[in-house]
Amino acid sequence: GQNIDQPTEMTATEGAIVQINCTYQTSGFNGLFWYQQHAGEAPTFLSYNVLDGLEEKGRFSSFLSRSKGYSYLLLKELQMKDSASYLCAVRDQDYKLSFGAGTTVTVRA
Amino acid sequence: GAGVSQSPSNKVTEKGKDVELRCDPISGHTALYWYRQSLGQGLEFLIYFQGNSAPDKSGLPSDRFSAERTGGSVSTLTIQRTQQEDSAVYLCASSAALHAANSPLHFGNGTRLTVT
């Protein structure tokens, strides 16, 4: 089975940077995804990593280390609209996608 | 269609009744997933389909839950003899291909099920 861990909550100030860590143990590995979910809404896709290294997409970057079973999502120049839950998800050898419990990020003025 | 469509958006049912939840994936998407999300919780995997077949049914919570997909398109999730603990948001997602390297899931807005 899968075990995906991420912090429950994080708080940061508008304009700052926040890093959300995710560690995982899976049966095989076929990619790691990050999703954003605002309260009462469906998750939306943010990023995908399958090889080690950093993927940058505007204010958001995601990093992967397969040997360590570790990823992080970096949010730069935080805006109030970035207040949301951030979900780490890992796809295993059978292409089943399992999600962590999510990290609630609160951005304060 | 423009996105994944789920119906109904809200369903209130009495304990013991059966319910059917419907998902229309994005046209052409071969992979379809069902998840359940309780209030303030993460996404719990239920089942996924590649075409019309379900390789992994291990996530279904009990034998009261079943799902099918026909024509490689629409899927229905059926819950028989509903219980109060079945109350949750049921999310459906589709992706272009199960085995494609970068094939993210696109989620519908979910069906909020309340069992009274």
Side-chain angles (χ1 to χ4, degrees):
Chain A
Q2 276 82 329
N3 189 23
I4 302 169
D5 290 314
Q6 49 182 131
T8 305
E9 294 181 335
M10 301 184 76
T11 301
T13 306
E14 196 174 15
I17 297 173
V18 69
Q19 177 175 315
I20 306 169
N21 296 324
C22 172
T23 58
Y24 63 89
Q25 293 174 313
T26 60
S27 307
F29 179 80
N30 276 301
L32 185 144
F33 297 79
W34 284 95
Y35 282 80
Q36 180 190 60
Q37 187 177 28
H38 285 101
E41 298 182 9
T44 55
F45 169 71
L46 287 179
S47 70
Y48 168 78
N49 295 72
V50 69
L51 299 176
D52 290 352
L54 188 68
E55 294 284 339
E56 297 188 80
K57 212 188 248 189
R59 294 188 299 114
F60 293 2
S61 304
S62 57
F63 171 83
L64 175 68
S65 169
R66 288 171 297 171
S67 62
K68 295 182 179 177
Y70 168 70
S71 172
Y72 68 73
L73 179 70
L74 196 69
L75 285 62
K76 297 180 237 180
E77 300 167 21
L78 279 172
Q79 302 175 9
M80 299 300 287
K81 66 178 182 180
D82 297 330
S83 292
S85 180
Y86 291 85
L87 308 173
C88 174
V90 180
R91 192 163 61 182
D92 69 11
Q93 61 190 12
D94 297 319
Y95 291 85
K96 170 182 163 182
L97 188 66
S98 297
F99 285 78
T103 299
T104 300
V105 172
T106 302
V107 181
R108 292 184 175 164
Chain B
V4 178
S5 177
Q6 292 187 245
S7 60
S9 55
N10 278 285
K11 176 71 177 179
V12 180
T13 190
E14 291 180 353
K15 178 182 170 181
K17 297 282 176 95
D18 298 352
V19 295
E20 258 192 17
L21 312 181
R22 177 188 168 104
C23 173
D24 280 274
I26 293 172
S27 178
H29 279 195
T30 60
L32 186 148
Y33 294 73
W34 283 99
Y35 291 87
R36 176 168 75 172
Q37 187 172 34
S38 300
L39 189 63
Q41 303 298 309
L43 273 67
E44 176 189 0
F45 170 80
L46 298 179
I47 190 170
Y48 75 95
F49 291 89
Q50 170 61 16
N52 292 333
S53 65
D56 185 349
K57 299 182 181 180
S58 64
L60 294 176
S62 74
D63 58 9
R64 295 186 295 105
F65 287 72
S66 62
E68 66 172 13
R69 188 179 186 196
T70 55
S73 182
V74 172
S75 175
T76 54
L77 177 69
T78 302
I79 309 173
Q80 296 178 309
R81 305 181 302 282
T82 51
Q83 303 293 312
Q84 288 186 329
E85 61 261 29
D86 299 335
S87 297
V89 175
Y90 289 81
L91 289 163
C92 175
S94 70
S95 68
L98 187 67
H99 300 108
N102 181 2
S103 186
L105 269 61
H106 299 269
F107 283 86
N109 288 326
T111 293
R112 182 176 298 278
L113 175 67
T114 304
V115 182
T116 61

